Amino acid sequence: MPGASVSDVARRYRVCSSLVYRWRRVLLRDGVAVESPRLPAPAFVPVEVASASTHTEPEPLGPGVVEVICSGGQRVRLAPPIDARVLKAVLAGFG
């Protein structure tokens, strides 16, 4: 918004002010607003729940893979790129 302070926007959305500057630079090229890319509509995806294995040795994970293990033995693996909102929702589901 015209007249908005970068530090106020960063504080409101709890992000670093340099990130706001980056977003602004990406969205404004040569003084012209760049149209945001069209995102696919939200949709449900099939999920397969596998039975707990008796395998006790942990499997190696690839670089950047996050694995959450519940006290009941359920595992959720997230591969990069990991969206912070998705990770937060997954962790909240285990709480």
Side-chain angles (χ1 to χ4, degrees):
M1 300 295 290
S5 161
V6 169
S7 60
D8 289 341
V9 172
R11 195 174 313 112
R12 182 180 321 132
Y13 293 102
R14 298 180 186 166
V15 296
C16 182
S17 59
S18 64
L19 184 57
V20 176
Y21 282 112
R22 180 196 282 169
W23 288 340
R24 189 171 71 175
R25 186 177 62 246
V26 168
L27 292 174
L28 294 174
R29 295 217 173 112
D30 301 323
V32 178
V34 177
E35 194 172 313
S36 62
R38 299 283 180 214
L39 299 175
F44 289 101
V45 296
V47 173
E48 180 182 331
V49 179
S51 62
S53 71
T54 57
H55 192 272
T56 57
E57 230 176 275
E59 297 175 34
L61 300 177
V65 174
V66 174
E67 181 177 58
V68 180
I69 304 172
C70 182
S71 59
Q74 298 89 348
R75 295 171 188 243
V76 174
R77 287 187 181 175
L78 301 164
I82 300 170
D83 184 280
R85 291 175 296 178
V86 172
L87 180 57
K88 185 176 179 180
V90 167
L91 294 176
F94 283 106

